[in-house]
Amino acid sequence: MGLLAGGQVALRTLNPSLLIAEGPAPSSLAAGQFFINIVLSGGADGLYLFPPLGSGGNLFNILKARRPSIMSAMTAASVAIPGLSSEIGLHTNFRRKPAGMSSSVADLVAAGQARVLGRVGMAQLDGSHDSAMATLLTGLTSWNAGSSGHWVSRWMDAYAMQPTQVWRFGRQVGFPLTRSGALPISVDNLAQYQWNDRGSALGGSAEATRSFDVAKRLLDLQPNLSPHAEHLRTALEETIQTSNQLTPYRNQATRSDYTYLSPFRDAARVINRKIATADTSTTYVQLSFDGFDTHSSQAAGLDGASQMLADNLSVFYEELKNTAWSKTVVVISTEFGRKIPTGAESGSDHGWANNSLVLSGGLRSGAGALAGALPLASDLQNGNVLTTAIDQRQTFWEILEFLGHDPARVFTDHTPSQRLRLFGI
Amino acid sequence: MKEFLRRVLNSSAMFSTRARGNCINSPTEFMIQFLKAGNFSSESLSALATQRQGLADMNHYLLNAPNVFAWGMCGDSTLGVDNHGEAWLQNQMLLNRYRTVNNILAQQHADGFAVKDLLFPSWNNPTATQVLNRFEEAFNITLNDQERPIVMNYLNRADAPWNPSSTIIVRERLAGLAFIFGTHLKSMLQ
């Protein structure tokens, strides 16, 4: 197994359902600029959002039988991707196309602009939100409490990335990122990020800036700041700077014919601003959403969530399709999938591997709807949880390559033994 | 006693990152401190409502933690990182401390009484020095010789001197002082 003559990558079947290419990373993938990471906190159920139809539908039928309260009404025809003969499906909401938009997510999958990631999971999973999130955050197989940093922090360090290259929108409550250098810009939403939402009545932003500056100068006087006090001083300083940096991004126009959910709108603002100013800096934008720990009422919760994702992704594509879509990659990540059986409250418990989604104008063409491994009934452990075939970090690894960065400097203990070959060469 | 003290002083707890003086205070602690210092009435329902919204804006829903590791508080390393209380110090969260203080002051004004009436038994056009002394007393923080001129220059700056008869200046400076004292090292670290 390896490279064939002419640099073609050989393929081999690792599993009856798993066709994965192995080999070194293509060397000239540096076509990307924008990495949008949609983090669904709680463990979004990928088997519900991206149901496997499988060979003969064996796992799909098991899911329908063992999850009667959430999947009994789902049919293979309703989740099949229109125009594409595929063994992977999409929740029907991904066929939604808001008024005036040209493509649904399902259309993008059919057109090779999006793919489902099959059987993706963490290097280590024990069903705990804490350890799953720590593994997702650190990007390390074995992280050490108190000493292992966030993978984004390592990335920023490795490439001296500035705050305007790393953005986090939405509430970042579960995603602390600690580093010695400047922190990413973290705001709930750009429109509401202003010093004083009552304008000049209390002095407006000028008065707030003075207050922050005085508070910082008082800390500057301290001869030996503890790490926490130093962090506070830095936070005050950066917040003052951020106010000035954000203004042009906040004022950047996005499509006027659709009201985005604010994290999507802000991601569009960042990209539009960078395109408008010919800013070619590599940019990471994390959009955080909570509420995916669906131990109860899962179908209702995920129906709403998939509608939100489908509509915003459709508009997001429309926003960028003629400008930055070819150098943008959007990926959905979450702690873990969920167990197969549903409980008395029509929800499911924490599982292991998951199906997810990646979208980009730079995806390898002609590769079908599925990247990774198609979940089959034989991939369930004790019929209960889906086992992992693809390390979650492999997705991020290939995205960093697409951005022209060396993922080995970020995911320091991950060795890509199985390549997804997400992007075109 | 000697052995006891040796054990206590060398115990891991003495060096814990959770030890007092080494943690960023939470939004709730920040707000309680501010309300106590400002002598706000517990019967001011509008202030309480504003505070409740403020805590939500600062990500501190007291009875609704976002996930099993709560808000990622100071000293919490369960996520594999040494957290310095970043959850409270993100740009948006820090800004919302200022906004919430401002909003409560404005709400008080809308209710018909201003913060100056709560802080000062009688408003006899206090000088800047008297205002500063009152804030030190209210927040139980004594500014040292280096700190005091910095805060005084903010309160009584050359381009817009302190004017106790100017409604705008009084409101904006008291709001600014409330934020500065509430963000002072002795307030923020506990």
Side-chain angles (χ1 to χ4, degrees):
Chain A
M1 164 63 225
L3 286 178
L4 299 176
Q8 289 182 301
V9 180
L11 304 176
R12 72 169 180 169
T13 303
L14 300 178
N15 167 312
S17 67
L18 174 60
L19 192 64
I20 291 179
E22 294 184 5
S27 59
S28 57
L29 281 180
Q33 181 181 359
F34 302 109
F35 177 0
I36 313 298
N37 188 11
I38 300 173
V39 179
L40 306 181
S41 179
D45 190 343
L47 291 177
Y48 181 78
L49 296 173
F50 314 106
L53 299 175
S55 302
N58 58 356
L59 180 53
F60 185 66
N61 291 332
I62 290 173
L63 291 172
K64 283 171 62 67
R66 300 198 62 193
R67 311 175 124 198
S69 58
I70 63 172
M71 290 183 72
S72 60
M74 194 179 277
T75 65
S78 70
V79 298
I81 301 166
L84 197 66
S85 174
S86 173
E87 293 182 308
I88 199 76
L90 299 174
H91 189 285
T92 51
N93 276 342
F94 288 111
R95 295 186 185 187
R96 292 170 59 90
K97 195 158 43 179
M101 303 304 141
S102 64
S103 302
S104 65
V105 170
D107 292 336
L108 293 176
V109 173
Q113 306 280 297
R115 298 176 77 188
V116 174
L117 299 163
R119 284 182 67 196
V120 175
M122 300 291 184
Q124 291 188 10
L125 280 173
D126 61 7
S128 154
H129 284 288
D130 292 39
S131 57
M133 191 57 75
T135 308
L136 180 66
L137 289 173
T138 61
L140 298 172
T141 305
S142 300
W143 44 269
N144 298 309
S147 62
S148 299
H150 198 299
W151 70 265
V152 174
S153 178
R154 286 196 301 278
W155 187 22
M156 292 180 75
D157 287 339
Y159 287 92
M161 294 170 77
Q162 300 302 304
T164 52
Q165 289 181 265
V166 183
W167 303 73
R168 300 188 300 170
F169 295 122
R171 292 297 169 96
Q172 302 297 326
V173 290
F175 302 87
L177 188 152
T178 308
R179 67 192 296 265
S180 55
L183 285 169
I185 293 177
S186 299
V187 299
D188 285 357
N189 87 56
L190 284 175
Q192 293 177 11
Y193 188 83
Q194 37 195 330
W195 293 108
N196 174 8
D197 54 9
R198 288 178 298 105
S200 61
L202 284 173
S205 59
E207 192 63 29
T209 303
R210 291 189 190 97
S211 304
F212 273 62
D213 184 58
V214 170
K216 185 186 79 67
R217 288 173 64 195
L218 296 184
L219 286 170
D220 288 339
L221 293 173
Q222 304 298 321
N224 296 304
L225 290 178
S226 70
H228 294 83
E230 177 59 34
H231 206 61
L232 170 60
R233 193 196 68 78
T234 303
L236 284 164
E237 188 173 62
E238 290 180 359
T239 305
I240 293 170
Q241 294 169 353
T242 299
S243 177
N244 298 326
Q245 290 175 316
L246 287 193
T247 302
Y249 291 94
R250 186 168 55 228
N251 296 335
Q252 179 66 46
T254 58
R255 291 185 70 89
S256 59
D257 56 353
Y258 179 77
T259 304
Y260 278 115
L261 213 56
S262 68
F264 282 96
R265 180 206 59 212
D266 290 342
R269 279 180 165 157
V270 168
I271 294 175
N272 286 351
R273 173 69 186 168
K274 295 208 169 194
I275 293 295
T277 58
D279 179 347
T280 58
S281 58
T282 299
T283 303
Y284 172 80
V285 185
Q286 181 172 295
L287 317 182
S288 296
F289 298 94
D290 205 354
F292 288 85
D293 193 14
T294 49
H295 289 281
S296 61
S297 305
Q298 176 167 316
L302 289 186
D303 284 351
S306 56
Q307 181 175 320
M308 174 273 288
L309 286 170
D311 289 358
N312 281 274
L313 286 171
S314 174
V315 183
F316 194 68
Y317 162 76
E318 202 75 23
E319 177 97 47
L320 304 178
K321 70 176 183 182
N322 295 322
T323 55
W325 183 245
S326 63
K327 48 187 173 183
T328 299
V329 56
V330 181
V331 67
I332 293 175
S333 53
T334 189
E335 296 107 296
F336 38 60
R338 305 196 76 83
K339 285 183 178 174
I340 304 303
T342 49
E345 296 183 328
S346 301
S348 56
D349 289 333
H350 307 168
W352 291 353
N354 211 8
N355 289 346
S356 188
L357 188 70
V358 60
L359 309 93
S360 173
L363 291 182
R364 184 164 57 95
S365 61
L370 177 69
L374 176 69
L376 297 175
S378 56
D379 299 321
L380 301 182
Q381 185 180 74
N382 300 324
N384 201 34
V385 290
L386 183 66
T387 54
T388 297
I390 306 295
D391 191 309
Q392 164 81 34
R393 292 170 296 184
Q394 185 60 31
T395 310
F396 294 165
W397 182 283
E398 295 187 22
I399 291 173
L400 290 191
E401 287 178 338
F402 178 60
L403 299 174
H405 286 186
D406 180 4
R409 299 175 69 182
V410 179
F411 299 102
T412 50
D413 68 352
H414 173 65
T415 302
S417 59
Q418 299 175 333
R419 299 195 62 83
L420 294 165
R421 295 185 67 220
L422 292 174
F423 299 96
I425 300 175
Chain B
M1 180 58 74
K2 182 179 178 181
E3 178 61 16
F4 171 75
L5 287 175
R6 191 185 70 79
R7 282 178 177 270
V8 168
L9 295 175
N10 286 309
S11 70
S12 59
M14 287 298 294
F15 304 96
S16 166
T17 54
R18 291 185 182 276
R20 187 170 179 81
N22 212 14
C23 290
I24 305 298
N25 68 5
S26 70
T28 298
E29 292 160 332
F30 173 80
M31 289 312 306
I32 288 175
Q33 180 189 48
F34 167 66
L35 294 176
K36 284 178 67 178
N39 198 29
F40 285 88
S41 167
S42 60
E43 296 173 358
S44 174
L45 295 179
S46 57
L48 289 175
T50 306
Q51 181 190 356
R52 182 168 179 267
Q53 180 58 47
L55 291 176
D57 289 344
M58 290 183 271
N59 256 339
H60 210 187
Y61 301 83
L62 276 179
L63 300 179
N64 187 18
N67 44 52
V68 292
F69 43 78
W71 295 272
M73 297 176 73
C74 152
D76 181 356
S77 60
T78 56
L79 294 177
V81 295
D82 183 12
N83 187 345
H84 296 282
E86 193 217 338
W88 313 137
L89 294 180
Q90 295 165 27
N91 307 140
Q92 183 78 57
M93 302 305 108
L94 202 53
L95 168 64
N96 285 349
R97 292 191 183 217
Y98 177 87
R99 288 175 59 186
T100 302
V101 167
N102 270 354
N103 286 343
I104 288 180
L105 295 186
Q107 189 60 57
Q108 293 291 305
H109 184 77
D111 285 349
F113 55 102
V115 66
K116 65 185 179 64
D117 300 322
L118 301 172
L119 278 168
F120 296 86
S122 59
W123 187 258
N124 293 322
N125 291 330
T127 64
T129 299
Q130 288 172 319
V131 170
L132 210 49
N133 290 344
R134 180 68 188 98
F135 267 84
E136 286 185 313
E137 180 185 1
F139 279 82
N140 195 27
I141 291 172
T142 302
L143 300 175
N144 63 33
D145 291 344
Q146 289 179 297
E147 294 172 324
R148 196 172 178 82
I150 294 174
V151 183
M152 182 58 80
N153 285 340
Y154 163 78
L155 177 60
N156 189 30
R157 53 180 178 266
D159 62 338
W162 168 249
N163 180 354
S165 60
S166 164
T167 302
I168 293 294
I169 286 182
V170 168
R171 285 172 59 188
E172 72 175 30
R173 301 293 159 82
L174 295 189
L177 284 181
F179 178 79
I180 291 166
F181 275 81
T183 317
H184 190 280
L185 197 60
K186 291 172 184 170
S187 296
M188 283 293 276
L189 298 185
Q190 51 173 303

